[in-house]
Amino acid sequence: MNKLLIIDGLNLVRRIHAVLPDENDITSVQERTLAASKKMLLQHQPTHCIIVWDGNETSWRKTLYNDYKKGRKPMPTALSDGLVNIKATLAENDINSFDAQSEADDVIATIAMKMISNDGEVIIVSTDKGFSQLPSKKLTLWDHFNQQVFDVQQYEKKLGIEQYQMLDFIALAGDSGNKIPGITGIGPKSAADLLNKFRTLANLYRSLDNLGAKQALKLEEGKEMARISYKLAQLQCDIPLNINLKQFRTKPITN
């Protein structure tokens, strides 16, 4: 059975870069990124590996909602300039990259779901909790920095919801990390309570008469923003990609 290791490139590299005392020391970033990639190949023994990088085009999410990811710290110039050499170092070691047009997340989700639909196994390496919305069968989320599988069930328990409610939860409560707004006045606890009672966002909006007047008004006034927030959080799994899995076959790693 094919096993595909998908690495969220910037998620890995930016965290490696952030702990270095000298932000201009891109040679160390190259070396540590290569070492991390080789370690993951050894740990997971995939048949294929691909590192997906964010592109420079404006995301459709930014077009839909201008404040999406507003205020996020920009990539340091030295790291941005050094990405070409980092990718080249990886390629020299038979670890191949793919550049998304804008955000890597949708490309990663598309490749992952395509692989799973063809009875393959997928490991996504990222600390981005947004990938937890993807079906968990044949999919593992790996946190390289904590050296552990991301426990989706534990995350659901922390939020007080079930996996299928993840997008509805963000539609209501938002996601501060990505500047997804949600509904003003509806926090995580309220969102979880509402979804525990009504199960889905659609059921909730069909039942506003069963809520207190103040909460019902918040939900009614925030309905459009809930729709936008849901869409912003939702991973696109059908991005057209002109790639062939054969391009990313790996050689066995033994040390």
Side-chain angles (χ1 to χ4, degrees), residues 22-38:
D22 180 4
E23 70 169 26
N24 294 311
D25 183 9
I26 304 304
T27 299
S28 290
V29 180
Q30 287 177 233
E31 293 171 350
R32 294 186 185 198
T33 301
L34 178 60
S37 300
K38 285 186 172 181

Side-chain angles (χ1 to χ4, degrees), residues 9 36 62 66 81 96-97 117-118 120 124 149 182 189 228:
K62 185 75 172 175
N66 192 53
D81 291 344
N96 295 305
S97 294
S117 70
N118 285 287
I124 295 177
V149 172
K189 187 178 185 306
I228 290 172

Side-chain angles (χ1 to χ4, degrees), residues 76-110:
T77 301
L79 180 58
S80 179
D81 291 344
L83 286 179
V84 171
N85 289 335
I86 292 171
K87 294 175 188 178
T89 298
L90 292 167
E92 287 166 5
N93 287 270
D94 299 311
I95 302 170
N96 295 305
S97 294
F98 181 84
D99 294 318
Q101 290 183 339
S102 56
E103 292 179 286
D105 297 2
D106 292 329
V107 172
I108 291 172
T110 295

Side-chain angles (χ1 to χ4, degrees), residues 5 7 12-13 16 28-44 49 51 90 95 125 142 144-145 147:
L5 180 71
I7 301 174
L12 177 68
V13 166
I16 289 173
S28 290
V29 180
Q30 287 177 233
E31 293 171 350
R32 294 186 185 198
T33 301
L34 178 60
S37 300
K38 285 186 172 181
K39 181 176 182 177
M40 286 183 271
L41 288 170
L42 182 61
Q43 286 175 317
H44 301 291
C49 176
I51 302 187
L90 292 167
I95 302 170
V125 181
W142 178 252
H144 168 73
F145 297 97
Q147 285 293 291

Side-chain angles (χ1 to χ4, degrees), residues 167-174 181-187 190-191 193-231:
L167 293 173
D168 288 354
F169 178 85
I170 295 174
L172 291 168
I183 296 176
T184 301
I186 302 293
S190 295
D193 289 344
L194 288 167
L195 291 173
N196 283 329
K197 183 175 182 180
F198 296 101
R199 310 311 299 167
T200 69
L201 195 64
N203 284 342
L204 171 60
Y205 271 100
R206 284 193 290 264
S207 308
L208 294 184
D209 290 346
N210 297 324
L211 299 174
K214 188 175 180 180
Q215 192 172 47
L217 181 61
K218 287 179 185 177
L219 289 163
E220 186 60 48
E221 290 181 342
K223 188 173 184 178
E224 178 61 15
M225 194 54 73
R227 184 192 69 80
I228 290 172
S229 297
Y230 185 103
K231 195 170 182 66

